[in-house]
Structures are given as C-alpha cells and as structure tokens.
Amino acid sequence: MRTRPVLVYDGDCGFCTASVALARRWIRPRCDIAARQWADLEDLGVAPERAEYEALWVTPDGRVCGGAQAVAGLLSSARGVWPVAGAVLRLPPVRWAAHGVYRLVARNRHRLPGGTPACALPAGRGPGGRSPSRT
C-alpha cells in the first residue's frame, strides 16, 4: 500500500516535463512523481486513456483526480504557502476557472515553451467518451 500520493504526468511532453522539474525545484511537493509511460497505471487504478489527456493525482487510498485538481493536490502536498494555493484551486468558482485554464493549456501545450509536436494531445475522443476539450 502506498503511503504517499502520486502525480502522474506525460513524460513525452517537454512542457509537462519542464513543469514537473519546476515543481520539484520550487514547490517541493511531498509526493511521488511518475511519468505515465513508466508508471504502473493498473496498480494506481488509472485508465491509460485518462493518463493520456491530463495530469493525475492519486491519493494513497486510491482516489484519482485530474487536471487542475491534480495541480491542487500537488500544491496542497507542499510546505509553506503552497497548500493555501492548492485549497483556493479547489473552491468554486476558482475551481471552474482553473479547469478551463488547464484545458486550454493542455490543448495547446505543444505551442508553449518546452513544447514539441510530441506534446500535442491525441486526436479523437478523450477518456469517458468525452472529447479532450471537455475532460
């Protein structure tokens, strides 16, 4: 059984990898961080299709949240002022706005600094039968 939460991210995406490096250096979350390509997604209780479209936060008890709420989990696991930022990201209407911003960044991560064509989300439908823009 895990005792620490896990952040799962896209290790093939330069933007995502740079963001994780930034988080490790400046935020210093108290969690494990794993690229989806090397993580045991089945053991984490995560569908590979979902991990393809968003960062995921997996708690030790197996709860999974994605996107902006994964970022909120990461922030909440750190010390200092970061948990306050994580708590704010969980509050409506901030949560709703954060979801929109996360989706916008996710759809355009191949255009952002550190991004490459490999960062583009796969075309087609996202997890749960929804389009990637609505996950």
Side-chain angles (χ1 to χ4, degrees):
M1 180 173 195
R2 285 184 315 282
T3 58
R4 290 168 47 106
V6 179
L7 177 75
V8 179
Y9 73 100
D10 186 351
D12 284 340
C13 174
F15 176 77
C16 298
T17 301
S19 296
V20 164
L22 182 91
R24 282 183 168 141
R25 181 172 181 176
W26 295 104
I27 299 172
R28 297 184 182 176
R30 290 176 288 176
C31 66
D32 295 325
I33 300 176
R36 70 173 174 83
Q37 292 82 354
W38 298 282
D40 186 346
L41 297 178
E42 185 176 329
D43 183 56
L44 292 171
V46 171
E49 298 80 15
R50 184 172 183 194
E52 232 178 282
Y53 289 97
E54 61 186 347
L56 299 171
W57 183 256
V58 184
T59 64
D61 65 359
R63 286 179 292 126
V64 180
C65 59
Q69 295 309 296
V71 175
L74 177 122
L75 293 171
S76 295
S77 77
R79 292 188 172 104
V81 300
W82 298 112
V84 173
V88 168
L89 278 177
R90 289 186 169 117
L91 298 173
V94 176
R95 179 178 65 222
W96 306 324
H99 174 76
V101 169
Y102 185 91
R103 295 281 33 110
L104 181 66
V105 169
R107 281 192 310 269
N108 293 287
R109 62 190 185 162
H110 60 288
R111 295 182 178 110
L112 298 172
T116 66
C119 299
L121 291 176
R125 301 185 66 76
R130 296 175 291 184
S131 70
S133 64
R134 295 177 43 212
T135 60

